[in-house]
Amino acid sequence: MTPQIIAKILAFVLYLGIMIYIGLKNANKNNSSADFFLGGRKVGPWVTALSAEASDSSAWLLMGLPGLCYLGGVQESIWTAVGLIIGTYLSWLFVAKPLRKCSITFGDSITIPEFLSNRFNDKSHVLSVVSVIFIVLFFTIYTASGFVACAKLFNSVFGLNYHAGLAIGLVVILCYTITGGYTAVCTTDFLQGSLIFIAFVISTFIAVFAIGTSTTADIFQNFQKVTGTELQAFNGMGIVSALAWGLGYFGMPHIIVRFMGIRSNGEIKKARRIGISWMLVSYIGAILIGTLGTVYLKNHGITLSATDAETVFSATMQNMYPAFIAGIFLCAILAASMSTADSQLLAASSAVSQDIYKGLIKKNADEKEVLNVSRFVVFLIALIALFLSLNPNSSIFSLVSFAWSGFGGTFGPLILLALYWKRTTAPGAIAGLICGGVIDVIWHYIPASVAPIFGLYEIVPAFLACLIVTVVVSLCTKTSDEVAAKYDQYKNMAD
């Protein structure tokens, strides 16, 4: 074993040890399900902001997006980044404070399914069940992308067997998520978000100076030489699909639940500014690393194949820094993977234990029992996600894309209508949720060769279908006076 490998191993062991320590340290703070799932609504703006953005960005930010740039998809990457930044800002602006206020007014809800059921007064529990089904389905797929990223990272850095890398990622994520709950997840996400930010800022500057006199034309020319592909114009449908990624932010349970857990309404503006600043720097950094890394690696005699394109960030880090420093920055990829996977596992387990087990199966279950069920569900979903990620050729970008559209197309319209339209009813929400989810899945599996329209990102038709169906069915049904009165109470709540 070479000194370089030993140095990188030490960096990874240090990082993973810190994550596990945070989980164990916060284990005794979970005295109730509200603590485990929402941190008792006591999380400050800095941790809330970086936790929301880090859990949102996932390994797609450090592997999927730079890999797409490396393969010549610069235009798609830029439009996607623009859509995500706009979506993030609008979500913080129009969802964060209203959702926190509304979730408190309607039964002090601590999960998204519970909030939707309370807001629409769904006594049949159909809305809860359908919500949980979609949450578990799409979160399992999303979590699998995080495991894939961990495995690819360990394989790229240490030459470790892909499946061994999967096992390491699984064990570490489970350790601090099961023990520490929401507080541990937010704290680790804060540290992971900070590491991602630092890695992009420093590495981008070094890459710019290292490339030196290379012009923009040189960089694009190298795209064609390295990948053997011609850069094609990005058409109108492609731009719409890329921008539509921003719609996902309105319905991501693991992101918007951060809005519910912040300490006070007054701190949301500060958190929004922190989050948007982090996102601007990180997304610009991801695009620059993907584009500049093409030239940087070529200048060092390294050419990545199309299947290895998603390792462009890790390859650049290993050639740019001494072994130990490279290992620390490579932990940013691990951070991105884990910050998303832990948040998704926690959100999915909260939906099952709180809304299905306690809500339907055993309504008199005490807090300890609910916590134990939650931990078991975290473990179970992680195992299913592990099974989905066993294929070494799995694409991080494809997995994230499918899960992202699923949440945005189903929960996005319902969250907006819940906050801004008093007339939304339970039958309308149920019909819209089912319609949006079904269309998203069907559209995803229909190839564009059938008809050009199917080349449109599935989040667009799913979002529109859910919105339209919910509104139409709500207009045909009636909401109760009790719900209307609570809605007015929420609207009149002080900021």
Side-chain angles (χ1 to χ4, degrees):
M1 188 177 293
T2 66
Q4 288 80 8
I5 293 294
I6 294 175
K8 293 174 187 175
I9 291 176
L10 289 175
F12 273 65
V13 169
L14 175 63
Y15 169 78
L16 295 176
I18 292 173
M19 297 300 104
I20 294 174
Y21 168 75
I22 291 172
L24 295 174
K25 183 180 179 182
N26 287 279
N28 295 326
K29 296 181 180 180
N30 298 307
N31 300 314
S32 67
S33 55
D35 290 335
F36 189 76
F37 299 137
L38 214 57
R41 298 188 194 266
K42 299 175 182 177
V43 182
W46 277 93
V47 174
T48 296
L50 265 66
S51 176
E53 302 311 331
S55 63
D56 139 43
S57 300
S58 75
W60 178 82
L61 177 63
L62 286 97
M63 298 186 78
L65 184 57
L68 189 62
C69 292
Y70 183 87
L71 291 174
V74 185
Q75 293 187 64
E76 181 177 358
S77 303
I78 292 175
W79 283 112
T80 301
V82 169
L84 289 170
I85 291 170
I86 293 174
T88 301
Y89 179 77
L90 294 178
S91 181
W92 276 103
L93 189 63
F94 294 113
V95 175
K97 187 182 293 185
L99 180 59
R100 186 180 188 278
K101 292 164 60 176
C102 196
S103 64
I104 292 174
T105 303
F106 284 88
D108 199 16
S109 308
I110 61 176
T111 69
I112 297 304
E114 182 182 19
F115 165 68
L116 293 176
S117 293
N118 290 343
R119 165 63 182 86
F120 300 129
N121 195 30
D122 176 34
K123 299 186 182 299
S124 68
H125 300 291
V126 174
L127 186 57
S128 286
V129 173
V130 175
S131 297
V132 171
I133 290 174
F134 282 129
I135 283 176
V136 172
L137 170 64
F138 292 122
F139 267 149
T140 303
I141 296 172
Y142 214 147
T143 302
S145 72
F147 290 160
V148 169
C150 288
K152 287 188 174 183
L153 175 63
F154 285 121
N155 178 262
S156 171
V157 177
F158 304 115
L160 193 65
N161 177 272
Y162 176 85
H163 297 103
L166 280 178
I168 294 174
L170 172 70
V171 170
V172 175
I173 292 170
L174 283 179
C175 279
Y176 71 79
T177 303
I178 287 178
T179 57
Y182 185 86
T183 303
V185 166
C186 285
T187 304
T188 54
D189 285 353
F190 173 79
L191 296 176
Q192 291 160 344
S194 301
L195 180 59
I196 293 169
F197 184 90
I198 294 170
F200 274 136
V201 170
I202 295 177
S203 302
T204 299
F205 277 109
I206 292 178
V208 169
F209 285 111
I211 291 173
T213 58
S214 293
T215 63
T216 303
D218 294 329
I219 293 173
F220 277 85
Q221 184 179 11
N222 272 284
F223 271 129
Q224 297 177 24
K225 291 179 180 178
V226 171
T227 65
T229 58
E230 294 294 330
L231 296 177
Q232 298 177 352
F234 205 46
N235 59 30
M237 186 177 293
I239 293 175
V240 172
S241 294
L243 289 174
W245 277 72
L247 294 174
Y249 279 101
F250 299 114
M252 292 293 148
H254 64 296
I255 298 174
I256 59 180
V257 75
R258 299 295 193 275
F259 304 153
M260 295 162 61
I262 195 169
R263 193 163 47 203
S264 69
N265 295 331
E267 292 179 315
I268 288 177
K269 179 183 288 188
K270 181 178 180 180
R272 180 175 73 234
R273 291 171 176 171
I274 295 168
I276 294 300
S277 299
W278 182 95
M279 197 171 188
L280 284 169
V281 173
S282 297
Y283 273 70
I284 292 172
I287 292 172
L288 288 177
I289 288 295
T291 54
L292 299 177
T294 305
V295 180
Y296 184 88
L297 292 176
K298 184 175 182 296
N299 290 345
H300 287 76
I302 299 173
T303 300
L304 301 177
S305 65
T307 56
D308 292 329
E310 290 186 328
T311 64
V312 61
F313 180 84
S314 62
T316 303
M317 295 301 101
Q318 293 183 78
N319 283 274
M320 186 177 288
Y321 299 107
F324 184 77
I325 301 300
I328 293 294
F329 283 158
L330 286 171
C331 286
I333 298 178
L334 208 58
S337 308
M338 291 182 172
S339 63
T340 301
D342 58 22
S343 300
Q344 293 159 350
L345 287 172
L346 191 64
S349 72
S350 67
V352 174
S353 60
Q354 188 75 13
D355 301 301
I356 298 299
Y357 184 76
K358 187 175 182 179
L360 297 176
I361 298 175
K362 193 174 180 180
K363 295 184 178 181
N364 62 343
D366 59 25
E367 296 291 349
K368 184 176 180 180
E369 189 174 352
V370 173
L371 289 178
N372 288 334
V373 171
S374 301
R375 290 175 170 130
F376 173 75
V377 173
V378 167
F379 181 75
L380 183 61
I381 293 176
L383 287 183
I384 298 173
L386 180 69
F387 176 78
L388 294 178
S389 58
L390 289 176
N391 182 4
N393 295 320
S394 299
S395 167
I396 299 169
F397 185 85
S398 298
L399 289 169
V400 171
S401 174
F402 187 19
W404 189 267
S405 67
F407 283 123
T410 53
F411 292 102
L414 294 190
I415 293 296
L416 292 173
L417 290 172
L419 300 177
Y420 289 101
W421 193 39
K422 185 195 294 189
R423 280 280 290 108
T424 314
T425 65
I430 294 169
L433 186 66
I434 295 174
C435 186
V438 170
I439 287 180
D440 181 83
V441 173
I442 293 176
W443 198 282
H444 175 78
Y445 285 106
I446 297 179
S449 58
V450 174
I453 189 63
F454 291 109
L456 183 66
Y457 186 25
E458 57 265 24
I459 194 173
V460 177
F463 190 97
L464 291 175
C466 179
L467 180 65
I468 293 171
V469 169
T470 303
V471 170
V472 170
V473 175
S474 293
L475 289 173
C476 297
T477 52
K478 185 180 179 181
T479 188
S480 68
D481 293 337
E482 177 187 358
V483 172
K486 278 192 174 183
Y487 183 88
D488 291 335
Q489 179 184 342
Y490 138 68
K491 281 295 188 179
N492 294 325
M493 181 185 290
D495 290 339

